[in-house]
Amino acid sequence: MKRAILFLLCAAPLPAHIMSMSTGDIVVEGNRARYEMRMPLYEMPHVKDAGKTLFENIRFGTSGQAARLVKRSCREDAGQGAYFCSAEYEFPEAVDRLEVECTFHSVTVPNHVHLLRAERGGRRDQAIFDFSFPKATIRFEPPSAAEIAFTQSAAGWWRAVSGPAQVLFLASLVLAARGRRELLLLAGMFLVGQVVAAVAAPLAGWRPPARFVEAAAALTIAYLAVEILVLPKAGQRWLIAGVLGGFHGLYLELFLRSTEYQAGYVLAGAAVAEAMLIALFAFAFSRIGRVAAALKPVQVSASLLFVVGMVWFVLRLGG
């Protein structure tokens, strides 16, 4: 049973990217708007007729009435590794609140995130779209402190559990623990390493590209699996957890860099989500392990995680 569960966890997310994110900017003037979008090129090869398809998957409106796409254009920039599009829209009336529906995740990868920044009359607002939140209303009103805290913490919470690499690594972390006390230590050091990396990287002026972060995250899964298989009695595993947590912190730093959200809120939300997921894995694995102990579920699961981590690393490094 445990083998089947972890096999599904491992195999399903391979086509996805740890960091699949596009950005857009829309400037509204009266009943017209100009929209510009930047999409990573690595999301585009399987998107047929990309220019048309992308604009079929983002829609704007106001007061329940859809905007009309007046014109659009797209171009590929291999040097920047991006696909750029721009468009002009006309609304039935002057825009008070901007209604947006974005389903880029349906034509790119399931964990794709689109960050939309909007401006009208000098007022700015933004919204994030993914498969769980494909619709939003932008009000062009300064959010309250409570709204900022909730929105940004929720974004951190979701970013921490929506990526396949994060979920697989946390499963590996639970497998690596040889008892409840060690699990608490490993989890604590992982969270510390994550926070330190997310905060220290921008202060040091280091901005690793998404491909590097994704490849490194895949290696963390493989490395921890090796620890479980080859060094089952190794000491100071808590130190390894802290170092590996640093690589996952770089993923959150990428998100912070793109959104300009406050690190405290995002990291707090991520930490809560990860702690909940670790507790869930620990509970499930302890129950399943008692039933399937004769099948050596830890060794089998670690082997699967190692294979997935290495294959993922090679794919992301090359593509």
Side-chain angles (χ1 to χ4, degrees):
M1 177 65 72
K2 188 170 184 179
R3 282 187 294 179
I5 292 173
L6 277 178
F7 180 78
L8 292 174
L9 279 172
C10 292
L14 277 176
H17 298 273
I18 181 176
M19 186 65 178
S20 177
M21 189 170 189
S22 58
T23 57
D25 294 271
I26 185 167
V27 178
V28 178
E29 295 180 353
N31 71 328
R32 297 186 71 89
R34 179 173 178 80
Y35 171 67
E36 296 181 346
M37 183 266 293
R38 181 184 188 278
M39 177 78 69
L41 271 182
Y42 58 72
E43 305 289 11
M44 304 309 298
H46 64 284
V47 180
K48 297 181 180 180
D49 195 2
K52 179 182 178 182
T53 300
L54 290 175
F55 281 103
E56 287 176 344
N57 283 274
I58 187 164
R59 291 167 286 278
F60 300 99
T62 188
S63 301
Q65 303 179 77
R68 181 173 66 90
L69 178 61
V70 178
K71 64 178 181 179
R72 60 177 171 83
S73 63
C74 294
R75 63 182 177 86
E76 179 180 313
D77 190 325
Q80 296 188 50
Y83 191 74
F84 293 97
C85 291
S86 62
E88 292 185 7
Y89 288 88
E90 185 177 49
F91 294 81
E93 59 185 52
V95 177
D96 179 26
R97 297 183 176 185
L98 181 65
E99 299 160 357
V100 187
E101 181 177 4
C102 179
T103 52
F104 286 160
H105 64 273
S106 66
V107 293
T108 54
V109 292
N111 65 326
H112 185 80
V113 178
H114 183 62
L115 169 66
L116 178 67
R117 294 178 286 255
E119 179 180 350
R120 188 201 65 189
R123 293 188 173 184
R124 295 180 174 85
D125 202 348
Q126 66 180 32
I128 292 178
F129 302 89
D130 58 21
F131 75 89
S132 58
F133 297 101
K135 296 181 180 181
T137 299
I138 297 177
R139 296 174 172 82
F140 301 102
E141 298 173 355
S144 66
E147 289 174 329
I148 291 174
F150 176 80
T151 300
Q152 298 186 13
S153 297
W157 193 98
W158 186 243
R159 296 286 76 73
V161 298
S162 62
Q166 294 93 309
V167 175
L168 286 177
F169 180 82
L170 294 177
S172 304
L173 198 68
V174 174
L175 286 174
R178 291 160 292 200
R180 185 176 300 176
R181 180 175 297 181
E182 186 176 35
L183 177 59
L184 291 174
L185 184 58
L186 294 181
M189 287 303 299
F190 165 76
L191 294 176
V192 169
Q194 179 174 262
V195 170
V196 169
V199 173
L203 293 178
W206 185 38
R207 295 189 171 186
R211 181 182 294 181
F212 169 83
V213 175
E214 186 165 1
L219 272 186
T220 63
I221 299 169
Y223 183 87
L224 203 53
V226 170
E227 275 272 323
I228 298 169
L229 291 169
V230 181
L231 302 169
K233 297 182 180 180
Q236 296 185 322
R237 192 167 283 177
W238 57 270
L239 182 59
I240 299 298
V243 173
L244 299 183
F247 288 107
H248 289 264
L250 294 178
Y251 161 69
L252 291 176
E253 191 278 326
L254 279 174
F255 180 73
L256 289 167
R257 189 196 315 167
S258 300
T259 60
E260 298 181 355
Y261 279 180
Q262 296 181 39
Y265 291 139
V266 172
L267 294 174
V272 170
E274 288 161 343
M276 292 173 63
L277 200 54
I278 288 171
L280 180 62
F281 277 134
F283 176 79
F285 289 176
S286 66
R287 294 296 182 271
I288 296 173
R290 293 174 186 173
V291 176
L295 300 177
K296 297 184 178 180
V298 171
Q299 291 81 359
V300 172
S301 301
S303 299
L304 286 171
L305 288 167
F306 172 75
V307 172
V308 169
M310 290 306 300
V311 171
W312 200 350
F313 170 73
V314 172
L315 289 175
R316 296 312 180 225
L317 195 64

